[in-house]
Structures are given as C-alpha cells and as structure tokens.
Amino acid sequence: MESSNTIIIKGLYKRFPVGKGEFTALSDINLNFAQGEFTGLIGPSGSGKTTLLNILGSLDVPSAGEALVLGNSIGMLSAREAANLRKVSLGFIFQSYNLLAVHTVYENVEFPLLLLKLSATERHKMVMDALEWVGLTDKIKSKPPQLSGGQCQRVAIARAMVKKPSLVLADEPTANLDAANSHHILKTMETLNRELKTTFVFATHDDKVISYLRRKVFLLDGRIDKDEIIHPNS
Amino acid sequence: MKLALKLAYRNLMGAGLRTWLNVIVLSFSFVIIIWLKGVMTGWDHQAKTDMTNWEIGGGQYWQSNYDPYDPFTITDSHAPIPDELKKQEETGEIVPMLLLQGTIFPEGRMMPVTIRGVSPTQSFLHLPASKLDTGDGTISAIIGAQMAKHSHLKEGDYVTLRWRDANGTFDATDVLISSVFSTNVPSVDLGQIYIPLSTLQEFALLPDEATIITLKNAEESATDYPGWVYKSKKDLTRQVDEMIKTKSAGQTVIYAILLLLAMLAIFDTQVLSIFRRQKEIGTYVALGYTKQQVVGLFTVEGSMHALLAALLSAAYGMPFLAWQAKVGWTMPIDASEFGMAIAQTLYPVYSFGLVVSTVLIITITTAIVSYLPSRKIAKMNPTDALRGKLQ
C-alpha cells in the first residue's frame, strides 16, 4: 500500500535550538498522503504546519523519524539531491507569492522550466498552457508589481504547476487575498488537482481554504490532533 | 552557466538605476585607467623620440672621462675624434660635440653655462645648427627657449661668453644669439649654449677634439675606440624608462583608488542585494537551485557589472580615447619646468595589451568582490530566507 503514497511520515520530530535549550516544533508525526490528495495541515500559528511543509519540501530536515517524499528520504538527501527533488517533482506556493519582481509574468512561470533545461519551444508551450489554466495569458509581459494580489498568486500557481509536479506544497496561499480572489485561486487549484492528479498539501488556518479540502489534518502544538477525511457525499 | 548569465542579465536589467549607477562608476574606471596608462605610454614614446631627435640619435660615444652628472669631469672630457669616425662626419653620419664649462653675462649678471660646440652642417639632430653659420664672421650662438627665458636673452641679442682654454687661461668674447629654439628635452636646453664646433675647438685650444660623438644610426655592435665609451640608445634612455616606471608606480595609487571606489559600489550593492533579496534567494532554492548555484548566480550578477561597464566604456570611451590620441592632452601647467623630457601636450598611446589587461584586471577584481559577500548565501537557512527573515 505504501508504494502508492506520495508522502509517508513516520515518527517525525523537529526540534530547534532556542538559547541553551530546544524547542520541539513537531512531535511524533505519522502520516501518509496518497497521490492526488487535496489535503490541508490546519492549525493555529505555531502549531508546526509550516515546519512540516518545509520538511516535505526538502527545505528542512527532520530531527528524528523519517519523511519519505516520492520515495526520497528527506533526512538522507544531499543538498544536490534535495535541490533536484524540488526542481523536478515539487511545486511551491507561498503566502506572499515570492515572485521574482524584476521578471515578467512569462519569465516567472518559465523559470522552473529553465532549470529543467527544456527547449525554448517546449518551454513556450508549457508556459502558455500554465497561464491559460490560471487565466493570465493577457498578462505575460506584465511584471509582478503591476498585478493585483490575486493575479500574483495565480502567477505563483502557474509557476508551481507549469512543470506538472507530483506534489504541490502551498503555505497559506490565500492569506493575503480577499474572499473572491481566494475562491478563484482555490477553484483553480482544485481543478488542476482533479485534471492533473497532482497532490496538494496546504498549510492553512483559513476557513475558505478549509472548505475546499478533502482531507484535514489538524495540528496542535506540534502534534496531530485530528486527521479527518471528507467523503464526497458528506 | 548559460542560465546564470541569462538570469543575471534579467536581474541586472530589472534593477534599473542601481545597476546603471554601478556600471557608470565602473566604466569611468575603465576609461580613466586606460587613458592614464595611455598617457604614460605616450609620454614614454614622446620622451624617447624627442631625446633621439634632439640629443642621442642612434647612440653616442662618450669620451671616457665624461660624466654628465659630474661637472668636474667636463674639463678633462675631450679627446681627438677617432679617424674612422671622422670619415663618417664628412658624410653626415655622426655629430661630434665638444663641451666646455663657461659663463655668460646677460644684463651684466654672471650665469654658468655649458658651451657646446656643434657643426653648423649637422642635419640629423633637430638642433637648428645651421643658424650658427651667419656667413659674416660673427660668432653666433643658439640657445633653447628655457635658457632664453632664464637668461633674459632673445634672438638678436649679444652676450659676453667666457671660457677657459686647455692651458687654463680665461678668455671671453661677445656672441650673437642667432636663434632661440624650442625643445622638450631639458638637457638640450637648460644651461646650454651652442656655438660652432670649430670656433669652440679654436677657443679651447682643442683642435679636432670632442666630448660626445652622436651617431645617426644605431650600431649593431659597438666598435671600441681607445678613450671612448659606446652608449647605446637603450643605455641613454634608461633614465627615462626608470622615471616612467616610477611615475607609473605612483599612478598605480590612482588606479587603486579608482578601482576601490568602483569595487566599493559593487560590494555595497551585493551586500544590500543579499539582505534585500532574501525572499528571492529562498525562492531560487525552493524552485530547485542549490545554495552554491545561488552563490554562483549572485557572483555572475556582480561580475556582469564589469561586462556592462566594458560595453558602456566602449560606447563613449572609444571615441573619447581616440579623440585624445588625436588632439593630445595639454598640461595645465608649464611642462618645461619639470626638468624632464616632457612635452606640453602628451598624446596617449593605447595598445591592445593595455586594453585587454585593464579589462581583465577589472573583471577579475569585480568577480572577487561579487563573490565575497555572496558566500553568505551559503550559510542562509532557506526557510528563513523564504520568509525574508533577516539573517
């Protein structure tokens, strides 16, 4: 069964040094996420959801236990292997978009494909497809400062999705958006999840996001408080 | 590397004014360093050319006692011109010169001089020696412009000239200043008065004798004549080389200051970039860059300032440098007071090697200065960088 899982987490701990002591951000986390899930890590600030998302994104490593992402044990990867995993298989969506301000919309979305060394023709097709998914084909020459918050987040989604990654990690993607834009963004991601079978893992405490999730993992003080699967007919 | 260059170019263009300010400062360094070095090279060329034309020709024979830096040697620095060389005098291949210590009395004041006897028929030195031949029996003399200035003499003036002959007897006569010439070579001008060689030989009771014999063409191998020492052109211009080397060393301080200013701007920009662009750095890492690749990107970005500066320098620097090479640079103060072979207007000379070495030095220095602050990225925690948390 485990082989079909995109993410397998076993007895994961994450501790940070604080002064002379340690702060335990995550404690005994055990979770499996299957391919195509649309899942949220839900909890208040400081509950450990971003820390867990960072570990799943190979931006951080566990202090103990294991996190297997697409068959890669995060704690065992070298810097180059971790970078390669992010480059090929992961997509990130951030609360503050993290777009490259001096690049155009097109260049921002093209960036992950440049790292994959695809040809210009392939890149162009894939960028235009991604921008079509998020409805921004008319903004290819604009730069992020010329866009609204909602448009910026749609660019960020296009950038995360353009290489059709197996897993997208979204950290508070709607935190800076109004309700209308939030729903638009979430619907876009839901559609992409359904059509491309991409696994989405959110870190959020936004009710709007929570309402779209098909699985909710509640975190409290670094521990799993509740793991709730929403059945389609519920 | 191609990707880093592409991204670095996009980032630099996107940074707009900040990039162009650095590029402009750096391009000034390019142009000024090349120009200053060109002026030094031009001076070197000019000094050697002027010395060759006015004084040393293709090389000289010095009477073995002669030491230009020791006036006490002049009295005994004379010897008959070797017979082999005498033949060349007739064909204009050599210029013998007799040197004698003397005194002139302009406006009743006493002024020590070196009297130089030179043949009015000599043609390869730029000295206007033909002016020594008045044709009416008047003893004429020529002096340089600086000498004229210091002695308050001008063309057409008579001045009393006193000397001591080979027997130690003082004698004097009035000479006519038949010409005042202008030269950049101070040793030809300051404290020198030229009269016909035969006249001086007669005055000094030293018939057919000379102190210096200047050759028109350089000799491949020096012939030894008893009592004479051969000085090649290289020996005679060594002092100029050393002086220019000293001046160049002094100018290195100027280059260093210019480079330092430009590098400070690049370093500052890099440090500021790394602090201001932490989120961007985190994003690069999240999208699949290793931290080392981000360091590489920032280093390329910083180094690219030098590349853009080189292009900008080419755009405005090339016409400027070419124009300077044509019209030269006229020194704002009187160059004749410097006491060295320097023209009032210097014409810079630029070599391919000079341009390439300057571009290389600046590019390599820029790359190092760009790399140093970029190393900090390698120590950054990407999760903190993504949040733009100051590290």
Side-chain angles (χ1 to χ4, degrees):
Chain A
M1 273 306 281
E2 281 191 353
S3 61
S4 66
N5 285 323
T6 302
I7 299 167
I8 300 162
I9 306 168
K10 288 178 189 168
L12 185 142
Y13 285 81
K14 180 66 187 177
R15 300 181 193 96
F16 293 106
V18 179
K20 287 179 182 172
E22 271 186 340
F23 167 72
T24 304
L26 292 170
S27 226
D28 194 23
I29 305 291
N30 291 286
L31 279 171
N32 287 352
F33 295 128
Q35 191 190 340
E37 278 199 22
F38 203 71
T39 303
L41 303 171
I42 302 160
S45 295
S47 59
K49 53 190 189 299
T50 299
T51 304
L52 183 54
L53 212 64
N54 285 337
I55 293 172
L56 297 180
S58 74
L59 294 168
D60 209 344
V61 289
S63 306
E66 191 178 31
L68 276 170
V69 177
L70 302 164
N72 299 284
S73 177
I74 296 300
M76 306 299 284
L77 295 177
S78 67
R80 190 167 287 276
E81 287 167 338
N84 198 50
L85 174 67
R86 292 192 295 270
K87 184 164 73 182
V88 176
S89 309
L90 304 186
F92 288 87
I93 299 168
F94 304 101
Q95 179 181 338
S96 50
Y97 330 126
N98 286 45
L99 298 177
L100 305 173
V102 299
H103 294 214
T104 62
V105 165
Y106 184 94
E107 288 163 352
N108 264 284
V109 179
E110 187 192 26
F111 189 87
L113 306 178
L114 287 172
L115 296 181
L116 291 173
K117 294 177 180 158
L118 298 178
S119 71
T121 322
E122 281 177 291
R123 289 202 308 268
H124 181 74
K125 188 185 178 308
M126 290 168 84
V127 170
M128 294 314 289
D129 283 349
L131 287 171
E132 205 171 312
W133 297 332
V134 296
L136 283 175
T137 45
D138 57 333
K139 298 280 182 192
I140 55 170
K141 285 184 181 165
S142 303
K143 289 189 176 174
Q146 299 166 313
L147 303 175
S148 69
Q151 286 171 327
C152 281
Q153 197 58 298
R154 279 150 66 193
V155 177
I157 293 169
R159 183 178 66 184
M161 294 303 299
V162 69
K163 63 190 174 192
K164 297 182 183 165
S166 306
L167 172 63
V168 170
L169 302 164
D171 190 6
E172 307 276 14
T174 55
N176 290 336
L177 303 178
D178 58 28
N181 266 313
S182 296
H183 285 296
H184 186 94
I185 296 291
L186 287 160
K187 274 184 186 144
T188 307
M189 288 195 274
E190 197 182 38
T191 309
L192 291 168
N193 163 256
R194 211 171 30 244
E195 288 178 3
L196 303 173
K197 304 284 177 232
T198 306
T199 307
F200 276 77
V201 178
F202 294 85
T204 188
H205 57 253
D206 183 348
D207 289 338
K208 296 186 289 294
V209 179
I210 295 168
S211 67
Y212 281 82
L213 299 173
R214 295 201 295 274
R215 182 178 171 189
K216 299 169 188 173
V217 178
F218 291 89
L219 292 172
L220 192 63
D221 297 332
R223 291 174 179 276
I224 296 172
D225 187 42
K226 199 163 58 171
D227 187 353
E228 196 179 307
I229 295 172
I230 316 294
H231 294 287
N233 51 356
S234 66
Chain B
M1 191 62 183
K2 197 176 154 193
L3 178 60
L5 283 171
K6 191 172 184 173
L7 286 175
Y9 177 75
R10 278 182 188 173
N11 289 340
L12 284 181
M13 291 299 111
L17 189 62
R18 190 154 41 95
T19 299
W20 289 112
L21 281 174
N22 284 333
V23 167
I24 288 167
V25 171
L26 205 53
S27 80
F28 280 151
S29 303
F30 268 115
V31 174
I32 292 172
I33 289 174
I34 292 173
W35 180 76
L36 277 174
K37 285 195 169 227
V39 167
M40 295 308 285
T41 313
W43 176 17
D44 185 25
H45 283 208
Q46 166 261 316
K48 283 180 180 166
T49 307
D50 285 351
M51 280 182 76
T52 303
N53 291 339
W54 281 90
E55 190 178 19
I56 62 173
Q60 289 181 329
Y61 281 100
W62 287 4
Q63 199 280 331
S64 53
N65 293 327
Y66 178 60
D67 177 357
Y69 301 108
D70 182 2
F72 288 96
T73 63
I74 294 180
T75 311
D76 300 321
S77 302
H78 51 83
I81 302 165
D83 290 340
E84 294 88 332
L85 291 175
K86 260 190 169 175
K87 288 172 202 157
Q88 292 184 41
E89 189 186 359
E90 287 158 18
T91 56
E93 295 294 302
I94 63 158
V95 174
M97 216 178 262
L98 179 65
L99 271 62
L100 210 63
Q101 281 185 300
T103 311
I104 54 168
F105 297 87
E107 296 176 358
R109 288 174 173 78
M110 195 165 70
M111 196 173 167
V113 291
T114 301
I115 311 167
R116 288 179 178 243
V118 61
S119 168
T121 57
Q122 80 79 25
S123 56
F124 68 83
L125 292 179
H126 282 194
L127 274 175
S130 60
K131 300 274 185 184
L132 294 171
D133 186 8
T134 52
D136 60 0
T138 313
I139 301 169
S140 58
I142 55 171
I143 55 173
Q146 289 306 309
M147 175 70 177
K149 187 179 162 191
H150 292 151
S151 60
H152 295 192
L153 289 170
K154 56 186 186 303
E155 212 173 296
D157 283 353
Y158 279 89
V159 67
T160 304
L161 175 69
R162 189 182 69 168
W163 67 93
R164 210 163 71 146
D165 66 23
N167 297 327
T169 308
F170 282 100
D171 203 350
T173 188
D174 283 346
V175 296
L176 167 72
I177 304 299
S178 59
S179 177
V180 174
F181 58 86
S182 183
T183 177
N184 298 319
V185 186
S187 53
V188 173
D189 183 339
L190 295 169
Q192 314 295 314
I193 185 164
Y194 297 81
I195 65 171
L197 177 63
S198 54
T199 308
L200 186 60
Q201 285 169 337
E202 192 186 320
F203 286 173
L205 307 177
L206 298 168
D208 288 333
E209 295 202 17
T211 307
I212 298 166
I213 298 166
T214 306
L215 310 177
K216 185 177 181 182
N217 301 310
E219 284 199 353
E220 290 196 2
S221 60
T223 316
D224 276 334
Y225 299 109
W228 294 89
V229 180
Y230 179 69
K231 298 280 178 185
S232 69
K233 200 169 164 181
K234 197 177 172 187
D235 294 332
L236 295 166
T237 55
R238 184 167 293 135
Q239 200 194 351
V240 175
D241 287 334
E242 280 167 10
M243 189 170 60
I244 286 171
K245 206 189 278 177
T246 312
K247 287 277 166 198
S248 297
Q251 285 209 335
T252 308
V253 177
I254 299 173
Y255 309 151
I257 292 169
L258 279 169
L259 261 180
L260 197 72
L261 283 173
M263 292 306 129
L264 199 67
I266 304 282
F267 188 86
D268 236 22
T269 306
Q270 288 291 95
V271 171
L272 195 69
S273 276
I274 288 154
F275 277 98
R276 282 184 54 181
R277 295 164 63 189
Q278 288 195 63
K279 267 190 178 183
E280 188 182 326
I281 291 166
T283 307
Y284 287 132
V285 173
L287 292 176
Y289 255 27
T290 62
K291 283 193 272 189
Q292 288 312 318
Q293 282 174 310
V294 183
V295 171
L297 172 64
F298 274 68
T299 306
V300 170
E301 205 173 302
S303 309
M304 208 177 252
H305 283 104
L307 200 72
L308 292 174
L311 293 174
L312 183 67
S313 304
Y316 77 88
M318 271 163 66
F320 168 75
L321 294 172
W323 172 72
Q324 274 290 292
K326 193 178 171 194
V327 304
W329 173 63
T330 305
M331 274 181 282
I333 48 172
D334 189 1
S336 59
E337 302 289 341
F338 288 6
M340 52 181 113
I342 184 165
Q344 192 63 39
T345 301
L346 292 175
Y347 294 89
V349 173
Y350 319 107
S351 63
F352 180 70
L354 164 67
V355 176
V356 170
S357 64
T358 308
V359 170
L360 274 178
I361 288 170
I362 295 182
T363 308
I364 292 167
T365 316
T366 310
I368 293 168
V369 167
S370 304
Y371 170 69
L372 292 176
S374 304
R375 287 178 309 168
K376 192 176 165 58
I377 294 168
K379 293 176 191 159
M380 272 187 186
N381 181 343
T383 57
D384 286 340
L386 272 169
R387 281 180 283 166
K389 197 172 155 186
L390 285 178
Q391 295 178 63

PDB file of all heavy atoms in Angstrom, chain A residues 146-162:
ATOM      1  N   GLN A 146       2.968  45.180 -11.136  1.00  0.00           N
ATOM      2  CA  GLN A 146       1.845  45.755 -11.893  1.00  0.00           C
ATOM      3  C   GLN A 146       0.576  44.929 -11.735  1.00  0.00           C
ATOM      4  O   GLN A 146      -0.451  45.266 -12.312  1.00  0.00           O
ATOM      5  CB  GLN A 146       2.214  45.809 -13.389  1.00  0.00           C
ATOM      6  CG  GLN A 146       3.434  46.682 -13.678  1.00  0.00           C
ATOM      7  CD  GLN A 146       3.990  46.457 -15.074  1.00  0.00           C
ATOM      8  OE1 GLN A 146       4.163  45.317 -15.510  1.00  0.00           O
ATOM      9  NE2 GLN A 146       4.284  47.544 -15.761  1.00  0.00           N
ATOM     10  N   LEU A 147       0.646  43.842 -10.955  1.00  0.00           N
ATOM     11  CA  LEU A 147      -0.505  42.936 -10.830  1.00  0.00           C
ATOM     12  C   LEU A 147      -1.160  43.070  -9.461  1.00  0.00           C
ATOM     13  O   LEU A 147      -0.531  43.515  -8.498  1.00  0.00           O
ATOM     14  CB  LEU A 147      -0.049  41.482 -11.016  1.00  0.00           C
ATOM     15  CG  LEU A 147       0.660  41.124 -12.328  1.00  0.00           C
ATOM     16  CD1 LEU A 147       1.133  39.674 -12.266  1.00  0.00           C
ATOM     17  CD2 LEU A 147      -0.254  41.338 -13.523  1.00  0.00           C
ATOM     18  N   SER A 148      -2.431  42.646  -9.399  1.00  0.00           N
ATOM     19  CA  SER A 148      -3.117  42.618  -8.099  1.00  0.00           C
ATOM     20  C   SER A 148      -2.641  41.392  -7.321  1.00  0.00           C
ATOM     21  O   SER A 148      -1.989  40.498  -7.894  1.00  0.00           O
ATOM     22  CB  SER A 148      -4.615  42.526  -8.339  1.00  0.00           C
ATOM     23  OG  SER A 148      -4.920  41.252  -8.878  1.00  0.00           O
ATOM     24  N   GLY A 149      -2.992  41.340  -6.040  1.00  0.00           N
ATOM     25  CA  GLY A 149      -2.599  40.201  -5.207  1.00  0.00           C
ATOM     26  C   GLY A 149      -3.113  38.884  -5.759  1.00  0.00           C
ATOM     27  O   GLY A 149      -2.378  37.888  -5.823  1.00  0.00           O
ATOM     28  N   GLY A 150      -4.366  38.901  -6.205  1.00  0.00           N
ATOM     29  CA  GLY A 150      -4.970  37.683  -6.753  1.00  0.00           C
ATOM     30  C   GLY A 150      -4.246  37.226  -8.006  1.00  0.00           C
ATOM     31  O   GLY A 150      -3.969  36.035  -8.192  1.00  0.00           O
ATOM     32  N   GLN A 151      -3.909  38.208  -8.852  1.00  0.00           N
ATOM     33  CA  GLN A 151      -3.184  37.860 -10.096  1.00  0.00           C
ATOM     34  C   GLN A 151      -1.793  37.311  -9.770  1.00  0.00           C
ATOM     35  O   GLN A 151      -1.338  36.348 -10.395  1.00  0.00           O
ATOM     36  CB  GLN A 151      -3.079  39.095 -10.990  1.00  0.00           C
ATOM     37  CG  GLN A 151      -4.390  39.465 -11.661  1.00  0.00           C
ATOM     38  CD  GLN A 151      -4.319  40.814 -12.356  1.00  0.00           C
ATOM     39  OE1 GLN A 151      -3.628  41.735 -11.909  1.00  0.00           O
ATOM     40  NE2 GLN A 151      -5.064  40.951 -13.445  1.00  0.00           N
ATOM     41  N   CYS A 152      -1.151  37.913  -8.775  1.00  0.00           N
ATOM     42  CA  CYS A 152       0.192  37.436  -8.386  1.00  0.00           C
ATOM     43  C   CYS A 152       0.112  35.981  -7.923  1.00  0.00           C
ATOM     44  O   CYS A 152       0.967  35.157  -8.291  1.00  0.00           O
ATOM     45  CB  CYS A 152       0.759  38.294  -7.257  1.00  0.00           C
ATOM     46  SG  CYS A 152       1.426  39.857  -7.817  1.00  0.00           S
ATOM     47  N   GLN A 153      -0.900  35.688  -7.122  1.00  0.00           N
ATOM     48  CA  GLN A 153      -0.991  34.318  -6.619  1.00  0.00           C
ATOM     49  C   GLN A 153      -1.307  33.348  -7.763  1.00  0.00           C
ATOM     50  O   GLN A 153      -0.854  32.205  -7.753  1.00  0.00           O
ATOM     51  CB  GLN A 153      -2.043  34.232  -5.495  1.00  0.00           C
ATOM     52  CG  GLN A 153      -1.942  33.006  -4.630  1.00  0.00           C
ATOM     53  CD  GLN A 153      -0.586  32.839  -3.933  1.00  0.00           C
ATOM     54  OE1 GLN A 153       0.443  32.694  -4.599  1.00  0.00           O
ATOM     55  NE2 GLN A 153      -0.584  32.870  -2.619  1.00  0.00           N
ATOM     56  N   ARG A 154      -2.047  33.834  -8.753  1.00  0.00           N
ATOM     57  CA  ARG A 154      -2.321  32.963  -9.914  1.00  0.00           C
ATOM     58  C   ARG A 154      -1.032  32.711 -10.710  1.00  0.00           C
ATOM     59  O   ARG A 154      -0.809  31.608 -11.213  1.00  0.00           O
ATOM     60  CB  ARG A 154      -3.405  33.591 -10.798  1.00  0.00           C
ATOM     61  CG  ARG A 154      -4.807  33.309 -10.228  1.00  0.00           C
ATOM     62  CD  ARG A 154      -5.795  34.390 -10.549  1.00  0.00           C
ATOM     63  NE  ARG A 154      -6.099  34.503 -11.967  1.00  0.00           N
ATOM     64  CZ  ARG A 154      -6.744  35.537 -12.506  1.00  0.00           C
ATOM     65  NH1 ARG A 154      -7.142  36.533 -11.736  1.00  0.00           N
ATOM     66  NH2 ARG A 154      -6.998  35.561 -13.795  1.00  0.00           N
ATOM     67  N   VAL A 155      -0.183  33.727 -10.773  1.00  0.00           N
ATOM     68  CA  VAL A 155       1.126  33.530 -11.428  1.00  0.00           C
ATOM     69  C   VAL A 155       1.921  32.490 -10.640  1.00  0.00           C
ATOM     70  O   VAL A 155       2.552  31.594 -11.217  1.00  0.00           O
ATOM     71  CB  VAL A 155       1.923  34.850 -11.517  1.00  0.00           C
ATOM     72  CG1 VAL A 155       3.311  34.611 -12.126  1.00  0.00           C
ATOM     73  CG2 VAL A 155       1.180  35.891 -12.340  1.00  0.00           C
ATOM     74  N   ALA A 156       1.872  32.610  -9.299  1.00  0.00           N
ATOM     75  CA  ALA A 156       2.609  31.669  -8.450  1.00  0.00           C
ATOM     76  C   ALA A 156       2.090  30.244  -8.656  1.00  0.00           C
ATOM     77  O   ALA A 156       2.873  29.285  -8.689  1.00  0.00           O
ATOM     78  CB  ALA A 156       2.484  32.073  -6.993  1.00  0.00           C
ATOM     79  N   ILE A 157       0.772  30.113  -8.826  1.00  0.00           N
ATOM     80  CA  ILE A 157       0.201  28.780  -9.079  1.00  0.00           C
ATOM     81  C   ILE A 157       0.697  28.261 -10.437  1.00  0.00           C
ATOM     82  O   ILE A 157       1.109  27.103 -10.566  1.00  0.00           O
ATOM     83  CB  ILE A 157      -1.343  28.825  -9.032  1.00  0.00           C
ATOM     84  CG1 ILE A 157      -1.801  29.129  -7.599  1.00  0.00           C
ATOM     85  CG2 ILE A 157      -1.955  27.512  -9.514  1.00  0.00           C
ATOM     86  CD1 ILE A 157      -3.280  29.455  -7.478  1.00  0.00           C
ATOM     87  N   ALA A 158       0.665  29.140 -11.422  1.00  0.00           N
ATOM     88  CA  ALA A 158       1.135  28.733 -12.755  1.00  0.00           C
ATOM     89  C   ALA A 158       2.597  28.298 -12.682  1.00  0.00           C
ATOM     90  O   ALA A 158       2.988  27.300 -13.302  1.00  0.00           O
ATOM     91  CB  ALA A 158       0.973  29.890 -13.735  1.00  0.00           C
ATOM     92  N   ARG A 159       3.401  29.041 -11.912  1.00  0.00           N
ATOM     93  CA  ARG A 159       4.817  28.690 -11.778  1.00  0.00           C
ATOM     94  C   ARG A 159       4.972  27.335 -11.092  1.00  0.00           C
ATOM     95  O   ARG A 159       5.835  26.533 -11.458  1.00  0.00           O
ATOM     96  CB  ARG A 159       5.545  29.775 -10.976  1.00  0.00           C
ATOM     97  CG  ARG A 159       7.035  29.531 -10.852  1.00  0.00           C
ATOM     98  CD  ARG A 159       7.735  30.635 -10.091  1.00  0.00           C
ATOM     99  NE  ARG A 159       7.325  30.672  -8.695  1.00  0.00           N
ATOM    100  CZ  ARG A 159       7.727  31.589  -7.828  1.00  0.00           C
ATOM    101  NH1 ARG A 159       8.540  32.559  -8.207  1.00  0.00           N
ATOM    102  NH2 ARG A 159       7.316  31.558  -6.571  1.00  0.00           N
ATOM    103  N   ALA A 160       4.115  27.094 -10.071  1.00  0.00           N
ATOM    104  CA  ALA A 160       4.212  25.818  -9.348  1.00  0.00           C
ATOM    105  C   ALA A 160       3.751  24.657 -10.218  1.00  0.00           C
ATOM    106  O   ALA A 160       4.251  23.536 -10.107  1.00  0.00           O
ATOM    107  CB  ALA A 160       3.382  25.889  -8.070  1.00  0.00           C
ATOM    108  N   MET A 161       2.789  24.925 -11.098  1.00  0.00           N
ATOM    109  CA  MET A 161       2.163  23.840 -11.863  1.00  0.00           C
ATOM    110  C   MET A 161       2.769  23.609 -13.248  1.00  0.00           C
ATOM    111  O   MET A 161       2.517  22.582 -13.870  1.00  0.00           O
ATOM    112  CB  MET A 161       0.664  24.142 -12.047  1.00  0.00           C
ATOM    113  CG  MET A 161      -0.148  24.144 -10.762  1.00  0.00           C
ATOM    114  SD  MET A 161      -0.041  22.591  -9.857  1.00  0.00           S
ATOM    115  CE  MET A 161      -0.709  21.443 -11.029  1.00  0.00           C
ATOM    116  N   VAL A 162       3.555  24.582 -13.725  1.00  0.00           N
ATOM    117  CA  VAL A 162       3.979  24.554 -15.122  1.00  0.00           C
ATOM    118  C   VAL A 162       4.734  23.276 -15.494  1.00  0.00           C
ATOM    119  O   VAL A 162       4.593  22.756 -16.607  1.00  0.00           O
ATOM    120  CB  VAL A 162       4.808  25.823 -15.460  1.00  0.00           C
ATOM    121  CG1 VAL A 162       6.164  25.816 -14.762  1.00  0.00           C
ATOM    122  CG2 VAL A 162       5.001  25.973 -16.958  1.00  0.00           C
TER     123      VAL A 162
END
